[in-house]
Amino acid sequence: MAAAAGDRKVKVQSFVSWLPQTGGRMTPISYGKLKPDDGGGTMAWRVLRVRDFEDVKSRPVQNLPRGIAAAQKSHPAKHFTGGHLLGAAFGGPIKNPKNLTMLSANANKQLKVFEKNIISGFHHLTKAYEVLCSMGLSPDEAVLSVMIKVKTKGEWDKELPDRNISSHLTCKAQLEGQTGVLQAIKTMTTPPSDKLVAEYQGLVAQAEVLFNTAKKTVNNS
C-alpha cells in the first residue's frame, strides 16, 4: 500500500496480531449482560487502533441467538435475523451470543449503514496513518484509534415472549489519539512539510465527519 508522499510503503497490520505490540490504546471487546430468554447480547464496545483495522465482512448467522426462532414464528412480517453488534471489520466474533441480537430486516439494514460510515472513516484514517509514517513518526507515535459502541435499548414488547427483543439500538464511533499525534508532530526533530500536515489533517477531518453523521439510533421496527 503506497504512502501518501514519496515511495515509502507502509504495512497496516491485521487486528489479529495486536497482542504482542506495544504503545497505543487497544482493547478487547467488552460485552453487556445477555438478554433473557436466549435473546442475545445487550452491548459490545471496543477501542480499535487504525493500524489494526481490516475491512472484512460479517457472515450471516443461522439460528442465533437461540430465541430468534420464536421471534420469527411470532412476527413473520418483521423478518427477524441475528445481527452482530460489532461487525467483523471491528473484530466482532461471528457466533458469540454476546455479540448477537435480534434485528428486524429494517433494523439490520440501518445497522449496516452505520457500519458503512465507520468503515469509510477507517479508510480515511488508514491513509492518515500512512501520511504520519511518511513524516517519520514511528507506529507507536502515529497512534490513532476509534472507540466503537453498540448497545441495545428498551423492550420491543413487554409481554412474553417479546421481552428479549430490543426496541432500538444506540450506536457511537469516536476518534481517539489525535491530541497525542499532534504533540508528536510538534516535537519532531525535523518538522514535516506543511503539505503533509495539511494532508493528514484533511483526512482526519473527513473521517470525523463520517463518524459524527453516522446513524446514532437504529429502530428495531
Side-chain angles (χ1 to χ4, degrees):
M1 186 181 293
D7 296 328
R8 180 173 179 170
K9 294 187 181 231
V10 178
K11 179 178 175 60
V12 180
Q13 298 170 351
S14 165
F15 66 79
V16 298
S17 63
W18 73 270
L19 281 168
Q21 298 174 17
T22 59
R25 190 177 180 202
M26 183 78 168
T27 67
I29 298 174
S30 293
Y31 297 104
K33 295 180 179 179
L34 286 168
K35 291 183 72 65
D37 303 327
D38 292 319
T42 55
M43 185 271 290
W45 79 274
R46 82 174 313 180
V47 177
L48 178 62
R49 283 192 308 220
V50 170
R51 70 174 185 251
D52 299 307
F53 167 74
E54 189 173 59
D55 190 355
V56 293
K57 296 186 182 302
S58 298
R59 298 198 303 271
V61 177
Q62 301 292 330
N63 304 320
L64 288 175
R66 290 190 178 90
I68 198 167
Q72 291 170 334
K73 184 176 179 179
S74 300
H75 310 285
K78 294 297 179 183
H79 301 287
F80 279 110
T81 185
H84 296 98
L85 295 174
L86 288 186
F90 312 135
I94 296 173
K95 295 184 178 181
N96 187 333
K98 291 184 177 180
N99 193 46
L100 288 160
T101 191
M102 286 183 269
L103 297 177
S104 67
N106 181 46
N108 192 43
K109 183 178 180 180
Q110 292 178 65
L111 189 57
K112 288 185 183 300
V113 171
F114 167 77
E115 290 179 350
K116 184 177 180 180
N117 260 52
I118 308 313
I119 289 170
S120 295
F122 264 109
H123 284 302
H124 287 300
L125 292 176
T126 297
K127 293 177 182 177
Y129 170 71
E130 294 171 357
V131 173
L132 291 173
C133 290
S134 72
M135 292 178 185
L137 290 184
S138 71
D140 286 344
E141 293 173 313
V143 175
L144 290 172
S145 305
V146 180
M147 187 281 292
I148 311 159
K149 183 176 183 179
V150 178
K151 188 174 183 179
T152 66
K153 304 284 283 187
E155 293 178 354
W156 195 76
D157 189 328
K158 293 185 181 299
E159 299 296 327
L160 291 175
D162 301 327
R163 66 191 181 101
N164 57 356
I165 306 173
S166 301
S167 62
H168 62 285
L169 290 78
T170 58
C171 309
K172 183 177 182 180
Q174 179 178 299
L175 177 66
E176 297 188 351
Q178 171 79 321
T179 300
V181 168
L182 292 176
Q183 182 62 28
I185 293 173
K186 189 181 297 186
T187 57
M188 291 182 69
T189 303
T190 304
S193 68
D194 291 343
K195 181 179 179 181
L196 281 179
V197 173
E199 183 178 2
Y200 163 75
Q201 292 176 332
L203 289 164
V204 168
Q206 291 178 68
E208 289 194 297
V209 167
L210 286 162
F211 296 158
N212 292 334
T213 57
K215 183 175 285 291
K216 303 298 189 297
T217 302
V218 170
N219 292 313
N220 207 11
S221 57

